[in-house]
Amino acid sequence: MPSSRIAISGSSGLIGAALVRSLRADGHEVARLVRRPARTGDEVEWDPQRGYVDVAGLVGCDAIVHLAGAGVGDHRWTEAYKREIRDSRVLGTAAVAEAVASLDTPPRVLLSGSAIGFYGDTGSSPVDETAPPGDGFLPSVCEEWEAATAAAEEAGVRTVHARTGLVVGREGGAWGRLFPLFKAGLGGKLGNGRQYWSFIALHDHVAALRHILDTESLTGPVNLTGPRPVTNAEVTAAMGRVLRRPTLFPAPAPALKLVLGEFAEDVLGSQRVIPAKLLDSGFSFAFPDIDGAIRAALR
């Protein structure tokens, strides 16, 4: 993509911050959506709870990347926090989509976050973007989240839902919590370890987002996962190999349920997700294997 103006929500998160660095390094102008009055020329005020976006700040944007949302694993799932998880995604996405649709010259593409939680527990069966939604809280949130882009789609904007897997990064997400434990020699399997983890290296995730922005043929849901999902037991073994630490401290399922409550069902659930659309569109993974993804995060 030639030098462009791109607006990004969630720019302070693990993925958003890395995407901002990548785009700016290649000469793109990035406008960051912030939940306060804009202080600099590269900021755009928005308030997802009120459905407000300063539309003037989006004028001239070639693309909008919407990644904001409350962390799924940041707190125990009380009813209040489940509402926050849902509202932060659905209300925020609707606000961005409506702002995009209101522009006289809308952007070429709205790349909106989603998650492989859409599929629910798939066991050992591989699934791609053609699979239906699963059952439970996260699949229902993902369905509403993706449907909230309707205004942009109706305005003729190419819209993509990036169904993100488990991002292997040192500074946040699931791996941001795993690395300190495993480095201390306190890591181990979660439950029986047979559940599939559909991981993706942070480097590949950012590259995939940029590939989507550049690839006009990609629309609708796109799985952002590596091509070779592995079980939690295989992740545990890889962490031990790369970090050269023992992995002798498994977390039994009952203990996880006691500590995490309802969220434990998703931690122990299995998702063997294949990035069919990315592969079919010619995307090449730099770190397709779990050992390489972990080493890349440590670098």
Side-chain angles (χ1 to χ4, degrees):
M1 189 165 58
S3 182
S4 305
R5 177 175 168 83
I6 301 167
I8 301 177
S9 75
S11 63
S12 62
L14 172 69
I15 298 167
L19 179 61
V20 169
R21 289 193 298 269
S22 174
L23 289 169
R24 285 180 170 167
D26 284 344
H28 298 288
E29 179 185 354
V30 176
R32 298 177 299 111
L33 273 66
V34 297
R35 302 182 196 194
R36 52 169 172 74
R39 297 171 184 162
T40 61
D42 71 341
E43 294 182 344
V44 178
E45 182 182 358
W46 81 311
D47 185 335
Q49 291 294 325
R50 291 194 295 117
Y52 170 74
V53 179
D54 180 6
V55 177
L58 302 183
V59 172
C61 284
D62 300 285
I64 311 291
V65 183
H66 173 51
L67 302 173
V72 170
D74 290 357
H75 299 278
R76 191 178 180 88
W77 281 8
T78 62
E79 289 304 312
Y81 194 65
K82 286 167 71 174
R83 281 196 301 275
E84 183 174 346
I85 289 171
R86 183 261 179 203
D87 289 351
S88 68
R89 286 161 172 74
V90 177
L91 300 181
T93 301
V96 169
E98 288 163 11
V100 165
S102 73
L103 292 167
D104 291 335
T105 304
R108 293 184 301 102
V109 57
L110 169 60
L111 174 48
S112 185
S114 184
I116 61 170
F118 177 92
Y119 304 109
D121 190 335
T122 69
S124 60
S125 300
V127 296
D128 63 15
E129 292 88 351
T130 63
D135 298 317
F137 172 65
L138 286 183
S140 68
V141 168
C142 289
E143 280 194 275
E144 289 189 79
W145 190 4
E146 295 184 7
T149 61
E153 295 176 63
E154 291 165 4
V157 176
R158 177 169 70 94
T159 302
V160 181
H161 305 115
R163 292 179 179 167
T164 295
L166 294 167
V167 179
V168 187
R170 206 172 33 178
E171 298 169 353
W175 254 271
R177 297 183 179 191
L178 290 178
F179 275 123
L181 286 173
F182 277 86
K183 284 182 178 179
L186 300 175
K189 293 186 300 183
L190 301 181
N192 61 29
R194 292 195 293 269
Q195 68 272 32
Y196 273 89
W197 279 22
S198 296
F199 71 91
I200 183 169
L202 178 60
H203 172 95
D204 283 332
H205 195 288
V206 171
L209 291 174
R210 295 193 57 173
H211 175 78
I212 290 169
L213 293 177
D214 291 343
T215 307
E216 293 292 331
S217 62
L218 286 173
T219 61
V222 177
N223 293 333
L224 268 66
T225 60
R228 299 166 194 165
V230 293
T231 65
N232 175 257
E234 291 173 307
V235 168
T236 300
M239 291 286 279
R241 281 193 302 272
V242 174
L243 296 173
R244 299 182 182 180
R245 294 290 189 275
T247 56
L248 305 176
F249 294 90
L256 286 170
K257 291 175 182 177
L258 180 65
V259 173
L260 300 178
E262 185 180 349
F263 180 48
E265 298 299 325
D266 290 275
V267 171
L268 296 168
S270 181
Q271 293 186 309
R272 192 176 182 182
V273 179
I274 307 302
K277 282 189 173 181
L278 277 181
L279 293 171
D280 290 346
S281 67
F283 181 76
S284 178
F285 288 86
F287 304 102
D289 298 309
I290 186 61
D291 289 57
I294 294 169
R295 290 192 179 98
L298 293 172
R299 289 199 296 270

